């Protein structure tokens, strides 16, 4: 019976967490702490030990990701208020040309959602969707869903968005590798949603704009005047704060791989490798990015206004930091108690690949309570202490599985579901599901294939 007590305790802890979040006024932060206490005591820890482990796990997780989340949020805020996001969208649409607007918007979403929160990015860019739909007599669902698809995928799986950063910290994987692998896995997911968005245009032709030629000319003229009158930064400056940290982190990852070869063994103290390791660490890379954004995108803005924008960006991530830390505390409790070891021994005997554990947990919690961030943090907290005891498991793949599972079937309990549908004027529940729940599930299925393939390769 003693063998089953930790497992039963974990089940009770997870049930309590979900019940408190869904049915009571208890905040998710407190709910996660209560779940950690239940899991710790049932796993054999004393009450005093539980508190100590929770504090240690909370601090350790935020120590790994807290600064990076803050810097990423500040950079995103500057990109948002400076007009850099709109410049990227305008430039991609011009580059790809007429009748390929959905691809331009999908790529825009893919890029800008890396540093900017998904809800804010969609609200900023949706007027562009309407203007393009009118100007080119395109279906607004096709353009809107393509944009939202690009936004939601990278928001869920690519750091420095807070959720993936929290997962990277809990699994103990490199933020740089998490970012690069996530960007690769995101591409087929975005492509899948974009093709589905094109199909939506044929299913719902009533969302096609078809004004008279005179109206189209007036709309186009107003659109171009608005664009020309709005002072937007150049495309180069708009992309610079996004590209620079990605390049620095990528070079650092490559440098780390080079140092593992026989030819460069023992040369990690050389100045070149030391400099790359410093500049390519996520904290330094994103700090450089914030400085670039401030001094290149807002060169004439006053000091007080810039600081106000930066602090506004920080205000949006406070609760995410706390939830991420609470997730780390829950994971630490499972790791210190006997629960993780017992579950690992059981899971290792199952006829499935263990990387599907975080994927499955994230999927279930996502459908139950709606928040992708809470789902991935909880899945990582529960699965990381289990998976680390199983031999030959790549923690990077497992971390990617935890974030990918949260793309599943966005519906009524997901705030972005309402942002997308309400802004496009869709009120029928069945149509809302077809327009947004199904494309996120398509991305989830494509992502699952990518995770399994990555697990075979690595």
């Amino acid at each position: 019976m003693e063998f089953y007590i930790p497992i039963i305790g974990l089940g009770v802890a997870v049930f309590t967490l979900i019940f408190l979040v869904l049915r009571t006024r208890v905040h998710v932060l407190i709910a996660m702490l209560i779940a950690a206490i239940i899991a710790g005591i049932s796993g054999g820890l004393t009450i005093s030990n539980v508190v100590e482990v929770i504090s240690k796990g909370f601090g350790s997780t935020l120590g790994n990701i807290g600064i990076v989340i803050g810097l990423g949020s500040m950079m995103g805020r500057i990109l948002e208020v400076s007009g850099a996001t709109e410049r990227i969208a305008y430039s991609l649409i011009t580059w790809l040309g007429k009748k390929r607007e959905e691809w331009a918007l999908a790529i825009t979403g893919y890029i800008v959602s890396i540093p900017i929160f998904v809800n804010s990015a969609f609200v900023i860019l949706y007027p562009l969707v309407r203007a393009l739909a009118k100007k080119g007599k395109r279906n607004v669902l096709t353009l809107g869903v393509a944009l939202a698809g690009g936004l939601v995928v990278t928001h869920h799986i690519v750091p420095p968005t807070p959720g993936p950063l929290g997962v990277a910290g809990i699994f103990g994987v490199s933020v740089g590798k998490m970012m690069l692998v996530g960007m690769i896995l995101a591409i087929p997911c975005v492509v899948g949603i974009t093709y589905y968005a094109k199909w939506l245009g044929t299913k719902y032709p009533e969302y096609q704009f078809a004004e008279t030629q005179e109206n189209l000319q007036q709309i186009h003229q107003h659109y171009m005047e608005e664009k020309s009158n709005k002072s937007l930064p150049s495309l180069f400056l708009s992309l610079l704060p996004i590209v620079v940290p990605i390049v620095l982190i990528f070079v650092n990852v490559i440098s780390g791989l080079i140092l593992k070869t026989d030819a460069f063994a023992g040369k990690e103290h050389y100045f070149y490798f030391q400099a790359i390791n410093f500049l390519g660490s996520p904290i330094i890379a994103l700090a450089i990015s914030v400085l670039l954004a401030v001094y290149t995108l807002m060169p004439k803005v006053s000091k007080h206004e810039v600081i106000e924008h930066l602090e506004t960006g920080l205000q949006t991530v406070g609760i995410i930091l706390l939830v991420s830390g609470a997730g780390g505390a829950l994971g630490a409790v499972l790791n210190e108690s006997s629960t993780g070891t017992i579950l690992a021994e059981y899971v290792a005997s199952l006829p499935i690949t263990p990387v599907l554990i975080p994927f499955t947990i994230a999927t279930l919690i996502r459908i139950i309570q709606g928040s992708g961030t809470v789902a991935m943090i909880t899945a990582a907290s529960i699965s990381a202490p289990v998976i680390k005891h199983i031999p030959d498991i790549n923690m990077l793949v497992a971390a990617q599985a935890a974030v990918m599972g949260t793309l599943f079937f966005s519906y009524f309990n997901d705030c972005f579901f309402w942002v997308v549908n309400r802004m496009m004027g869709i009120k029928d529940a069945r149509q809302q599901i077809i327009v947004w729940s199904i494309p996120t599930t398509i991305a989830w299925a494509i992502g699952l294939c990518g995770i399994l393939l990555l697990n075979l390769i690595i």
Side-chain angles (χ1 to χ4, degrees):
M1 185 63 183
E2 291 182 2
F3 174 84
Y4 294 105
I5 290 176
I7 308 301
I8 295 171
L10 177 60
V12 172
V14 173
F15 174 81
T16 303
L17 169 62
I18 295 171
F19 175 79
L20 291 175
V21 172
L22 290 181
R23 297 295 182 183
T24 73
R25 290 179 290 178
V26 175
H27 193 274
V28 63
L29 170 64
I30 300 175
M32 293 187 82
L33 292 176
I34 293 172
I37 293 169
I38 294 172
I41 294 174
S42 63
L45 297 178
T46 65
I47 295 177
S48 58
N49 281 343
V50 168
V51 175
E52 183 181 340
V53 172
I54 286 175
S55 300
K56 190 184 300 181
F58 191 98
S60 174
T61 301
L62 290 188
N64 289 329
I65 63 164
I67 298 175
V68 178
I69 289 177
L71 290 170
S73 300
M74 288 193 290
M75 176 181 67
R77 179 62 180 169
I78 297 299
L79 291 174
E80 183 180 324
V81 299
S82 67
T85 301
E86 295 168 271
R87 168 58 69 194
I88 293 169
Y90 286 132
S91 300
L92 284 169
I93 290 163
T94 304
W95 175 54
L96 288 174
K98 193 175 180 182
K99 299 301 181 185
R100 288 195 290 267
E101 293 93 345
E102 66 273 13
W103 292 105
L105 289 168
I107 295 170
T108 300
Y110 173 93
I111 294 172
V112 303
S113 192
I114 293 175
I116 299 177
F117 281 98
V118 63
N119 291 1
S120 300
F122 190 79
V123 171
I124 291 168
L125 292 172
Y126 186 71
L128 178 61
V129 169
R130 298 284 298 183
L132 289 171
K134 292 177 181 178
K135 182 171 75 77
K137 291 190 287 186
R138 299 297 307 277
N139 192 293
V140 72
L141 296 186
T142 296
L143 301 185
V145 171
L147 170 64
L151 290 168
V152 79
V153 172
T154 49
H155 175 78
H156 276 76
I157 68 176
V158 181
T161 47
L165 271 177
V167 172
I170 292 169
F171 275 94
V173 301
S174 161
V175 173
K177 291 180 181 178
M178 188 80 175
M179 179 185 291
L180 296 174
V181 173
M183 291 177 69
I184 294 170
L185 290 176
I187 293 172
C189 297
V190 174
V191 170
I193 291 181
T194 306
Y195 275 113
Y196 182 84
K198 295 178 74 171
W199 174 81
L200 283 174
T202 62
K203 181 171 177 61
Y204 296 108
E206 64 269 26
Y207 286 87
Q208 186 93 8
F209 281 98
E211 281 88 354
T212 64
Q213 185 63 33
E214 182 179 358
N215 285 340
L216 281 173
Q217 288 175 352
Q218 292 175 352
I219 291 167
H220 179 63
Q221 182 180 358
H222 176 71
Y223 170 81
M224 295 307 292
E225 286 176 357
E226 184 182 12
K227 174 187 170 182
S228 60
N229 292 334
K230 189 168 185 178
S231 179
L232 296 176
S234 68
L235 178 62
F236 174 77
L237 294 180
S238 298
L239 287 172
L240 196 63
I242 301 174
V243 173
V244 166
I246 293 174
V247 170
L248 288 173
I249 291 170
F250 177 74
V251 172
N252 187 32
V253 171
I254 297 299
S255 175
L257 294 175
I258 291 173
L259 285 172
K260 291 180 181 179
T261 62
D262 294 337
F264 290 89
K267 296 184 179 180
E268 59 271 8
H269 298 297
Y270 282 24
F271 176 77
Y272 168 80
F273 290 111
Q274 288 279 309
I276 292 298
N277 185 55
F278 174 76
L279 295 173
S281 63
I283 292 176
I284 301 302
L286 282 168
I288 292 172
S289 175
V290 173
L291 291 174
L292 285 172
V294 168
Y295 284 101
T296 61
L297 298 177
M298 307 183 78
K300 298 180 181 180
V301 178
S302 69
K303 169 187 173 182
H304 297 293
E305 189 175 346
V306 169
I307 292 175
E308 185 177 337
H309 287 313
L310 293 174
E311 291 182 349
T312 301
L314 286 175
Q315 290 170 6
T316 61
V317 298
I319 186 57
I320 295 174
L321 284 170
L322 291 174
V323 171
S324 299
L330 175 57
V333 166
L334 294 177
N335 188 45
E336 290 291 327
S337 67
S338 59
T339 310
T341 306
I342 293 171
L343 273 177
E345 292 173 355
Y346 174 72
V347 168
S349 65
L350 295 176
I352 62 168
T353 173
V355 297
L356 289 181
I357 299 170
F359 183 85
T360 304
I361 296 173
T363 300
L364 291 174
I365 296 178
R366 160 71 167 186
I367 197 68
I368 290 170
Q369 57 80 47
S371 169
T373 300
V374 172
M376 66 179 70
I377 294 295
T378 306
S381 304
I382 295 171
S383 60
V386 175
I387 291 176
K388 68 179 293 186
H389 294 290
I390 302 175
D392 302 323
I393 295 298
N394 189 295
M395 297 297 277
L396 175 61
V397 180
Q400 287 292 339
V403 298
M404 195 66 76
T406 60
L407 286 172
F408 184 73
F409 202 77
S410 167
Y411 78 126
F412 307 122
N413 56 4
D414 177 15
C415 63
F416 194 54
F417 172 91
W418 296 108
V419 171
V420 172
N421 280 300
R422 291 298 187 189
M423 292 200 72
M424 291 194 292
I426 303 168
K427 298 179 181 179
D428 178 71
R430 180 176 177 273
Q431 191 176 356
Q432 288 174 338
I433 290 172
I434 292 172
V435 167
W436 188 238
S437 303
I438 292 178
T440 59
T441 307
I442 290 172
W444 170 86
I446 294 172
L448 172 60
C449 296
I451 292 296
L452 295 175
L453 180 61
L454 183 66
N455 189 47
L456 289 174
I457 294 172
I458 297 186

